[in-house]
Amino acid sequence: MEVEELPEDFRCPISLEVMTDPVILSSGHTFDRASIQRWLDSGNRTCPLTKLPLPPSPSLIPNHALRSLISNFLAHRPVAAAVATAASHGADDAIILARLSFPSDRPSLAAVLRLAQRGGLAAHRLVADTGAASVLLRHAAAPDRPDLQNLALRALLHLSLEGDDARVGLVAEGAVDPVVAALRSGPGCPAAALAATLLTSLAVVEVNKATIGAHPAAIPRLVALLQDGDVRERREAATALYELCKFAENRRRAARAGAVQPLVRFARDGSERAVRVLGLLSKCLEGKEAMRKAVELVGVMAEVVRAGSPRATEHALMALNLVCSDSEDNALQAIEAGVLDLCWVLSGDVNQKTRKNAMELGLLLEKSRFGGLS
């Protein structure tokens, strides 16, 4: 199979090359990281596809599900071609979708997945008009057939990547309940990680952040996945929490659900995303209270400031600023960890936010060292 036969969704809209590190821009579209980073580094602050303005520091959310799809497709291209031929078997997608019902079978759901991967307005309308989305959602919540659950979640993820209207439409269709249900899948099943990735995509839209966060089990199950999941599941749970916690009320929900301690452990293990979630949680009273009590928090954040990436350093400084502002114990721990000296070094950083946070934290720690915070 030639590269030209790859699904178009596998190609970066900028370079038109097969993506090796796909990331989701805040506009909802996916690009190869190198291509979109070059676009942003050139001073562009609009989405290359929609031309709509982007925030000052656009987030690039790793699209792990798409990356896995590309990798698997490239590794098994002859098998994929045979499955596609057998599934169609002379029938077009419209006929397959018209016959789709619950419970479905693997060839039928594979056909829906191919249609979702193909993308475009016509494909999205065809899926919506035939009621395939409701079938996909029912399979997403049914762990008794992991293979069908996996196909359904992958198809829903591709549909969500069609844009904000698709994301809002899926939530309106009732996507939150079955996707949250899939978060509690057992060890060795990819459904939980896929479900967390899908929640991240759905939460890109502001109104969906509120809807998902208000679900009584959504944030607690993401926290449980962060606590007990494997590396991939923890990564996807942290990414979903980061997107959800951009909405202020969800920060309080995450703190109350016990997110802080597992986030600290994940940050200690090197997760920059966990540091960024902690930075968001430190902005609310519940988050600050939980962070004051968290074991190793100050030490972990100090190490991030010392050796983390520029973005992680920015968020670690912000978190330390907020948790040390009214806690003498935290401030003294930060001084003992060498944060004060680091602050004076970083007060000349080229990043404005890092420079500001470092200067503020340095002054705060100086005050604590010489006379206390009171």
Side-chain angles (χ1 to χ4, degrees), residues 18 23 36 59 113 159 161 189-190 192 206 247 278 314 318-319 350:
V18 177
V23 293
I36 192 60
S59 299
L113 173 59
L159 288 178
L161 299 178
C189 178
E206 196 70 15
F247 181 68
L278 287 167
E314 175 191 324
M318 178 172 64
V350 294

Side-chain angles (χ1 to χ4, degrees), residues 26-256:
S26 54
S27 64
H29 292 280
T30 297
F31 304 87
D32 197 51
R33 183 183 293 275
S35 297
I36 192 60
Q37 194 62 62
R38 282 194 298 269
W39 170 269
L40 296 173
D41 290 345
S42 299
N44 296 295
R45 283 300 177 268
T46 59
C47 172
L49 289 181
T50 66
K51 306 305 180 187
L52 294 174
L54 297 170
S57 299
S59 299
L60 300 179
I61 303 171
N63 193 334
H64 298 296
L66 182 55
R67 182 175 184 173
S68 177
L69 289 174
I70 294 172
S71 177
N72 290 338
F73 189 96
L74 292 175
H76 304 96
R77 281 179 289 178
V79 175
V83 170
T85 302
S88 58
H89 207 65
D92 61 21
D93 289 315
I95 295 174
I96 293 173
L97 289 171
R99 295 174 178 172
L100 190 67
S101 61
F102 184 88
S104 189
D105 53 41
R106 187 178 180 86
S108 297
L109 290 184
V112 179
L113 173 59
R114 291 199 312 278
L115 181 56
Q117 288 171 330
R118 193 179 310 151
L121 183 59
H124 179 65
R125 282 178 174 169
L126 183 56
V127 171
D129 291 345
T130 57
S134 63
V135 175
L136 293 174
L137 291 171
R138 292 184 69 182
H139 275 292
D144 55 315
R145 284 292 304 273
D147 56 334
L148 301 186
Q149 186 181 40
N150 181 279
L151 284 169
L153 286 167
R154 287 167 60 193
L156 289 165
L157 177 60
H158 276 281
L159 288 178
S160 76
L161 299 178
E162 286 294 303
D164 288 356
D165 287 345
R167 294 183 175 97
V168 173
L170 284 170
V171 170
E173 185 86 16
V176 179
D177 274 338
V179 176
V180 169
L183 286 173
R184 59 184 176 189
S185 298
C189 178
L194 266 175
T197 305
L198 178 52
L199 281 183
T200 300
S201 179
L202 295 175
V204 167
V205 183
E206 196 70 15
V207 67
N208 286 354
K209 287 179 174 64
T211 303
I212 295 168
H215 189 288
I219 288 178
R221 285 187 185 166
L222 285 171
V223 172
L225 201 61
L226 186 67
Q227 173 77 39
D228 302 320
D230 59 27
V231 173
R232 181 190 173 198
E233 290 167 345
R234 293 168 75 196
R235 183 177 63 234
E236 297 301 337
T239 301
L241 285 170
Y242 177 69
E243 194 61 41
L244 287 167
C245 288
K246 292 177 183 178
F247 181 68
E249 181 58 32
N250 288 340
R251 298 168 195 165
R252 291 185 278 273
R253 291 167 174 149
R256 290 194 293 263

Side-chain angles (χ1 to χ4, degrees), residues 276 301 332 363:
R276 296 174 72 176
M301 293 298 103
L332 292 175
L363 292 172

